[in-house]
Amino acid sequence: MKHIKIFLLAIIVLTLAKNESLSQTLNWESLRPEQRHILNVNAGFDYAFTYGIGYGYQLRSKLPIVLNIEHSQPAGDKVFDDFKTKIGGQIRVYQVNNFHFTAKVHGIFRRFENPYVRMLNFGSDMSAIVGYYKPKWFVAGEFGFDKAIVTHFKHSHLSRENFPGVKDGWYEPATGGNFHYGLQTALSFEKSDITLKVGKVVQQDFETNSTVPYYFQIGYNRKF
Amino acid sequence: MKNSTSILMLLLLSVLFFWGCEQELLINESGNLVPKTVDEDPSLPSIRVNGAQFHSEAIGNPTDPMIVVLHGGPGADYRHLLNCKELADNGYYVVFYDQRGAGLSQRFPYSFYTMQVLYDDLRAIIANYRHSPTQQIFLLGHSWGAMLATAYINQYPSEIAGAIIAEPGGLKWDDVEDYLSRSRDFRLFSEGLNDAVFMEQFITGRQNDHAIVDYKYELWAAADEQEDSPTGNEGRLPYWRSGAATSMAYMDLAEKQKPDWTTNLSQYQTKVLFIYSENNKAYGLAHAQKVSSAYPNVELFETLGAGHDMLSFPTGWNNTYPTMLTYLNSLK
């Protein structure tokens, strides 16, 4: 089963990569058809204080589709011990006047390391966004689910001193899942958007909260 | 271009395939990420009292005065207090146990835990090992264990011949909150904060998904051991397993009930040895004086060269042990 999951994830990731794909908080009303490329920088709190970069590519298609790749990592003394990379896209599936309905799907690869363990995870993030969009601004609500589908654990010598029998390897069933919901908004200029996202995170049982059950992100998009 | 993409895909799929050939493991199974508990592993030393199976051992001559060692947490275990075995060489019967749901003791659901359960467990542990009604009983509590020792003395002041109280966060909830705000002062941009919270997107579990939340709690607690932690330990503490359900239950109970374990301490006129550490910057003399003042008769002692877990590392233990022994011998 796990092989199939990994295989499917790899196919999704590679297919999207092959199309030079790569997602951000977007204002559909300000994104012109000739603006094919979107660069993004952002910072905020996403389980930890993080900063990130992203690139988006607008396809020539009937429905507006932007494929994107994002990389973010938390602040801290060690630079590459923890990070999250998302690859996928967003599609505006429906529009009524200034109301836009958007679907986002991303494959996730993330890493965590502390003195006891290193974890590598393949996951997915699916979101729905509904909002009111104008050329100079928008406000939208988002609801999504981030699933940690399969995780590889590798424990350190320090960890084995405490528990010699600790087992390394791929763990299942899915090791985690969190819903997230909130608001996103932006101010748009000629070729730029200043974006803001705020919201709440709750575990998949809809009861248990994370230590910091909120997220926020401020970002800047440059379109060309 | 097409060829190179195909080769890249093949390589990536091969790597993923060989990774995938490792045995799949269940995250919710004891013995994989966290050790089995006494009810799952009969080879562990245990006793069954008060309706639960406890990971427990006793060292020394059973007729000597008994010292019951109470570990911290809530939810930690007695592994980091094993230096206290040395007391058995000096005429004491030393009893260790992992509190209910903690360490390698049997787990219970989150909703099971109350302070009365802890008192009843401790009473039952004492009764299990007690050789005679005249045998003296001392309590040695560290951190949360020192709070439990005080709560027990507050409840049953006539039962305890003396107590060593090592750096309890507080004996009233306000003092505990005050201490926690200083000792868990994570900086927003620190590696310590990352280590505590970034993994929450990898692992999630309900309160009673024990194997999952115990492991997650261990990772969370490990962040307390950063080099820049104000608690000032010499190194990382050894442990068996962190009991997440018991830890969350007692922290939630305390936040709701805001306990005061000093209301009856005026009845306890026996001298208490109250220990605090030089290197725990979140504690200090002022907090030690404030917390210990609830005891009518107290000897305050500062362990030099050690942090919060002063009984677990060589410097702290060597600097504290002679004072502990002198105190205990004075009450024999």
Side-chain angles (χ1 to χ4, degrees):
Chain A
M1 181 63 189
K2 188 188 72 239
H3 295 171
I4 296 168
K5 285 176 190 167
I6 293 172
F7 178 76
L8 287 176
L9 270 167
I11 291 297
I12 291 166
V13 167
L14 288 166
T15 305
L16 293 172
K18 204 173 160 185
N19 288 325
E20 295 177 308
S21 69
L22 291 193
S23 152
Q24 296 98 349
T25 303
L26 288 178
N27 183 349
W28 293 114
E29 287 284 343
S30 79
L31 182 64
R32 296 198 297 271
E34 70 274 17
Q35 292 175 326
R36 318 294 297 175
H37 308 278
I38 306 151
L39 287 176
N40 168 264
V41 288
N42 61 70
F45 197 92
D46 175 26
Y47 297 96
F49 186 85
T50 60
Y51 47 88
I53 54 170
Y55 168 73
Y57 180 76
Q58 185 178 202
L59 294 180
R60 293 176 203 280
S61 54
K62 207 170 180 183
L63 285 175
I65 300 175
V66 172
L67 302 172
N68 79 329
I69 184 163
E70 295 172 14
H71 175 85
S72 64
Q73 54 190 68
D77 305 331
K78 296 169 190 162
V79 182
F80 293 112
D81 62 333
D82 311 318
F83 64 79
K84 174 158 67 176
T85 299
K86 294 165 78 169
I87 187 164
Q90 51 186 307
I91 178 168
R92 193 193 65 199
V93 291
Y94 193 60
Q95 180 185 1
V96 185
N97 299 323
N98 289 93
F99 287 95
H100 295 248
F101 298 78
T102 307
K104 286 169 83 167
V105 181
H106 287 90
I108 301 176
F109 175 66
R110 51 194 151 200
R111 184 186 197 275
F112 169 84
E113 186 172 3
N114 76 357
Y116 292 92
V117 66
R118 184 211 67 196
M119 293 189 261
L120 300 174
N121 168 264
F122 289 99
S124 66
D125 190 343
M126 286 179 275
S127 307
I129 300 158
V130 180
Y132 185 79
Y133 290 75
K134 299 285 280 182
K136 300 259 182 220
W137 61 275
F138 81 86
V139 60
E142 66 174 335
F143 180 85
F145 182 54
D146 172 348
K147 187 83 175 168
I149 297 171
V150 59
T151 305
H152 188 271
F153 291 70
K154 184 172 173 57
H155 293 87
S156 67
H157 176 68
L158 187 65
S159 183
R160 290 182 190 285
E161 279 179 7
N162 286 323
F163 177 29
V166 67
K167 294 186 177 78
D168 288 345
W170 290 101
Y171 276 75
E172 59 169 17
T175 55
N178 289 289
F179 287 100
H180 54 88
Y181 54 92
L183 291 172
Q184 48 178 256
T185 185
L187 287 174
S188 299
F189 310 96
E190 183 81 359
K191 292 179 174 173
S192 304
D193 303 320
I194 295 170
T195 63
L196 177 70
K197 287 201 292 194
V198 291
K200 194 168 186 314
V201 179
V202 63
Q203 288 188 22
Q204 56 194 345
D205 61 3
F206 274 114
E207 285 174 12
T208 315
N209 282 322
S210 304
T211 306
V212 184
Y214 301 102
Y215 66 88
F216 80 88
Q217 186 193 72
I218 188 160
Y220 173 76
N221 292 339
R222 183 75 179 174
K223 301 169 285 194
F224 54 96
Chain B
M1 183 64 190
K2 202 176 169 184
N3 276 348
S4 60
T5 308
S6 303
I7 291 167
L8 187 68
M9 274 187 72
L10 194 65
L11 273 173
L12 188 54
L13 286 172
S14 303
V15 170
L16 290 170
F17 176 77
F18 284 113
W19 261 354
C21 286
E22 288 183 34
Q23 188 193 354
E24 292 172 7
L25 299 158
L26 295 175
I27 192 167
N28 51 1
E29 189 172 288
S30 267
N32 286 343
L33 293 175
V34 291
K36 290 180 176 175
T37 50
V38 285
D39 49 316
E40 299 163 330
D41 180 357
S43 69
L44 295 167
S46 72
I47 59 168
R48 179 172 282 282
V49 293
N50 200 32
Q53 199 172 347
F54 292 88
H55 178 228
S56 178
E57 57 191 306
I59 318 287
N61 181 346
T63 61
D64 284 342
M66 183 195 297
I67 299 171
V68 183
V69 178
L70 300 171
H71 64 73
D77 56 51
Y78 69 76
R79 186 170 178 179
H80 65 279
L81 293 171
L82 286 171
N83 281 334
C84 299
K85 280 183 177 179
E86 203 173 329
L87 289 159
D89 300 333
N90 287 281
Y92 292 92
Y93 185 45
V94 186
V95 171
F96 297 95
Y97 78 103
D98 288 338
Q99 292 156 31
R100 183 184 291 254
L104 300 179
S105 287
Q106 184 182 353
R107 297 169 169 118
F108 284 80
Y110 170 89
S111 57
F112 194 88
Y113 299 97
T114 64
M115 283 306 292
Q116 191 59 48
V117 165
L118 283 179
Y119 302 150
D120 293 346
D121 286 347
L122 178 51
R123 231 176 184 189
I125 297 278
I126 291 169
N128 180 78
Y129 286 107
R130 196 169 204 168
H131 182 260
S132 74
T134 56
Q135 188 175 23
Q136 285 182 299
I137 309 296
F138 295 97
L139 297 181
L140 192 168
H142 171 258
S143 194
W144 156 254
M147 292 153 73
L148 173 58
T150 300
Y152 190 85
I153 291 167
N154 192 56
Q155 195 83 352
Y156 309 108
S158 62
E159 295 183 10
I160 301 301
I164 297 171
I165 303 294
E167 237 169 58
L171 305 176
K172 298 174 185 173
W173 185 242
D174 286 349
D175 291 339
V176 177
E177 282 190 316
D178 184 31
Y179 172 67
L180 289 177
S181 70
R182 293 192 297 269
S183 65
R184 291 181 176 165
D185 184 20
F186 290 123
R187 288 174 293 114
L188 187 60
F189 302 101
S190 68
E191 194 63 36
L193 182 68
N194 296 341
D195 283 355
V197 296
F198 194 70
M199 54 84 185
E200 292 188 297
Q201 59 194 300
F202 293 71
I203 309 171
T204 57
R206 288 167 175 258
Q207 284 163 338
N208 295 320
D209 291 337
H210 295 294
I212 299 172
V213 291
D214 290 349
Y215 183 74
K216 193 173 164 184
Y217 186 76
E218 278 175 20
L219 297 183
W220 185 82
D224 262 351
E225 299 177 330
Q226 294 289 323
E227 280 170 16
D228 58 354
S229 167
T231 52
N233 276 342
E234 285 174 54
R236 292 181 179 273
L237 278 183
Y239 61 85
W240 287 300
R241 177 188 71 91
S242 299
T246 180
S247 177
M248 287 189 283
Y250 283 113
M251 290 303 286
D252 290 350
L253 264 181
E255 277 178 14
K256 264 188 223 156
Q257 297 175 351
K258 304 201 178 309
D260 178 351
W261 295 307
T262 68
T263 52
N264 202 30
L265 281 187
S266 58
Q267 302 292 308
Y268 195 69
Q269 294 297 324
T270 307
K271 187 163 80 172
V272 164
L273 178 63
F274 192 103
I275 300 166
Y276 70 102
S277 63
E278 180 190 32
N279 293 345
N280 184 352
K281 301 304 176 200
Y283 214 88
L285 176 62
H287 192 70
Q289 285 173 327
K290 185 182 180 189
V291 175
S292 64
S293 65
Y295 279 105
N297 188 357
V298 61
E299 176 187 346
L300 202 54
F301 176 76
E302 180 186 28
T303 300
L304 298 175
H308 179 62
D309 292 285
M310 76 294 281
L311 305 179
S312 306
F313 297 102
T315 308
W317 177 253
N318 291 334
N319 290 346
T320 313
Y321 183 65
T323 303
M324 285 169 42
L325 197 57
T326 304
Y327 164 77
L328 290 165
N329 288 341
S330 72
L331 294 173
K332 232 175 178 178

Coordinates of all heavy atoms in Angstrom, one line a residue, chain A residues 203 205 207-208, chain B residues 28 107-113 205-214 244-246 248-249:
Chain A
Q203 N -6.3 19.5 14.8 CA -5.9 18.1 14.3 C -7.2 17.4 13.7 O -8.3 17.9 13.9 CB -5.4 17.3 15.5 CG -4.1 17.7 16.0 CD -3.5 16.7 17.0 OE1 -3.9 15.6 17.1 NE2 -2.5 17.2 17.8
D205 N -9.0 15.1 14.4 CA -10.1 14.6 15.2 C -11.0 15.8 15.5 O -12.1 15.7 16.2 CB -9.6 14.0 16.5 CG -8.8 14.9 17.4 OD1 -8.6 16.1 17.0 OD2 -8.3 14.5 18.4
E207 N -10.7 18.1 17.6 CA -10.7 18.4 19.0 C -9.4 18.8 19.5 O -9.2 19.8 20.2 CB -11.1 17.1 19.8 CG -12.6 16.8 19.7 CD -12.9 15.5 20.4 OE1 -12.0 15.0 21.2 OE2 -14.0 15.0 20.2
T208 N -8.3 18.1 19.1 CA -7.0 18.4 19.7 C -6.3 19.5 18.9 O -6.3 19.5 17.7 CB -6.1 17.1 19.6 OG1 -6.9 16.0 20.0 CG2 -4.9 17.2 20.4
Chain B
N28 N 1.2 3.4 16.1 CA 0.4 3.3 17.3 C 0.6 2.0 18.1 O -0.2 1.6 18.9 CB -1.1 3.4 17.0 CG -1.5 2.5 15.9 OD1 -0.7 1.7 15.4 ND2 -2.8 2.5 15.5
R107 N -0.6 2.3 31.6 CA -1.2 3.6 31.2 C -2.7 3.5 31.5 O -3.3 2.4 31.5 CB -1.1 3.7 29.7 CG 0.3 3.9 29.2 CD 0.2 3.8 27.7 NE 1.5 4.2 27.0 CZ 2.2 3.4 26.3 NH1 1.8 2.1 26.2 NH2 3.2 3.8 25.6
F108 N -3.3 4.7 31.7 CA -4.7 4.8 31.9 C -5.2 6.0 31.1 O -4.5 6.8 30.6 CB -5.0 5.1 33.4 CG -4.9 3.9 34.3 CD1 -3.7 3.4 34.7 CD2 -6.0 3.1 34.6 CE1 -3.5 2.2 35.4 CE2 -5.9 2.0 35.4 CZ -4.7 1.5 35.8
P109 N -6.6 6.0 30.8 CA -7.1 7.1 30.0 C -6.9 8.4 30.7 O -6.9 8.5 31.9 CB -8.6 6.7 29.8 CG -8.7 5.3 30.3 CD -7.6 5.0 31.2
Y110 N -6.9 9.4 29.9 CA -6.7 10.8 30.3 C -7.7 11.2 31.4 O -7.4 11.8 32.4 CB -6.9 11.7 29.1 CG -7.1 13.2 29.4 CD1 -5.9 14.0 29.4 CD2 -8.3 13.8 29.5 CE1 -6.1 15.4 29.7 CE2 -8.5 15.1 29.8 CZ -7.3 15.9 29.8 OH -7.5 17.3 30.0
S111 N -9.0 10.7 31.3 CA -10.0 11.1 32.2 C -9.9 10.4 33.6 O -10.6 10.7 34.5 CB -11.4 10.7 31.6 OG -11.4 9.3 31.3
F112 N -9.0 9.4 33.7 CA -8.9 8.6 34.9 C -8.2 9.4 36.1 O -8.4 9.1 37.2 CB -8.1 7.3 34.6 CG -8.2 6.3 35.7 CD1 -9.2 5.4 35.7 CD2 -7.3 6.3 36.7 CE1 -9.3 4.4 36.7 CE2 -7.4 5.3 37.7 CZ -8.4 4.4 37.7
Y113 N -7.3 10.3 35.7 CA -6.4 10.9 36.7 C -7.0 12.0 37.6 O -7.6 12.9 37.0 CB -5.2 11.5 36.0 CG -4.4 10.4 35.2 CD1 -4.6 10.2 33.8 CD2 -3.5 9.6 35.8 CE1 -3.9 9.3 33.1 CE2 -2.9 8.6 35.1 CZ -3.1 8.4 33.8 OH -2.4 7.4 33.1
G205 N -2.2 12.8 17.2 CA -2.9 11.7 17.9 C -3.8 12.3 18.9 O -3.7 13.4 19.4
R206 N -4.8 11.5 19.2 CA -5.8 11.8 20.3 C -5.1 11.6 21.7 O -4.1 10.8 21.7 CB -7.0 11.0 20.2 CG -7.9 11.3 19.1 CD -9.0 10.3 18.9 NE -9.9 10.6 17.8 CZ -11.2 11.1 18.1 NH1 -11.6 11.2 19.3 NH2 -12.0 11.4 17.1
Q207 N -5.7 12.1 22.7 CA -5.2 12.0 24.1 C -4.9 10.6 24.5 O -3.9 10.3 25.2 CB -6.2 12.6 25.1 CG -6.3 14.1 25.1 CD -7.5 14.5 25.8 OE1 -8.5 13.8 25.9 NE2 -7.5 15.7 26.3
N208 N -5.7 9.6 24.0 CA -5.5 8.3 24.5 C -4.9 7.4 23.4 O -4.9 6.1 23.5 CB -6.8 7.7 25.0 CG -7.3 8.4 26.2 OD1 -6.5 8.7 27.1 ND2 -8.6 8.7 26.3
D209 N -4.4 8.0 22.3 CA -3.5 7.2 21.4 C -2.1 7.2 22.0 O -1.2 7.8 21.5 CB -3.5 7.9 20.0 CG -4.8 7.9 19.3 OD1 -5.6 7.0 19.6 OD2 -5.0 8.8 18.5
H210 N -2.0 6.3 23.0 CA -0.8 6.5 23.9 C 0.5 6.4 23.2 O 1.4 7.3 23.5 CB -0.9 5.4 25.0 CG -2.0 5.6 26.0 ND1 -2.1 6.7 26.8 CD2 -3.1 4.9 26.2 CE1 -3.3 6.6 27.5 NE2 -3.9 5.5 27.1
A211 N 0.8 5.4 22.4 CA 2.1 5.2 21.8 C 2.4 6.4 21.0 O 3.6 6.8 20.9 CB 2.1 4.0 21.0
I212 N 1.5 7.0 20.3 CA 1.7 8.2 19.5 C 2.0 9.4 20.3 O 3.0 10.1 20.1 CB 0.5 8.4 18.5 CG1 0.3 7.2 17.6 CG2 0.8 9.7 17.7 CD1 -1.0 7.3 16.8
V213 N 1.1 9.7 21.2 CA 1.2 11.0 21.9 C 2.4 10.9 22.9 O 3.0 11.9 23.3 CB -0.1 11.5 22.6 CG1 -1.1 11.9 21.5 CG2 -0.7 10.4 23.5
D214 N 2.7 9.7 23.4 CA 3.9 9.6 24.3 C 5.2 10.0 23.6 O 6.0 10.7 24.1 CB 4.0 8.2 24.9 CG 2.9 7.8 25.9 OD1 2.2 8.7 26.3 OD2 2.8 6.6 26.2
A244 N 2.2 10.9 28.2 CA 1.6 12.2 27.7 C 0.2 12.3 28.4 O -0.2 13.5 28.8 CB 1.4 12.1 26.2
A245 N -0.6 11.2 28.5 CA -2.0 11.4 29.0 C -2.0 11.9 30.4 O -2.7 12.8 30.8 CB -2.7 10.1 28.9
T246 N -1.1 11.3 31.2 CA -1.0 11.7 32.7 C -0.5 13.1 32.8 O -1.0 13.9 33.6 CB -0.2 10.7 33.5 OG1 -0.2 11.1 34.8 CG2 1.2 10.5 33.0
M248 N -0.7 15.6 30.5 CA -1.7 16.5 30.1 C -2.9 16.6 31.1 O -3.4 17.7 31.4 CB -2.3 16.1 28.7 CG -1.3 16.3 27.6 SD -2.1 16.1 26.0 CE -2.2 14.3 25.9
A249 N -3.2 15.4 31.7 CA -4.3 15.4 32.6 C -4.0 16.2 33.8 O -4.9 17.1 34.3 CB -4.6 14.0 33.0

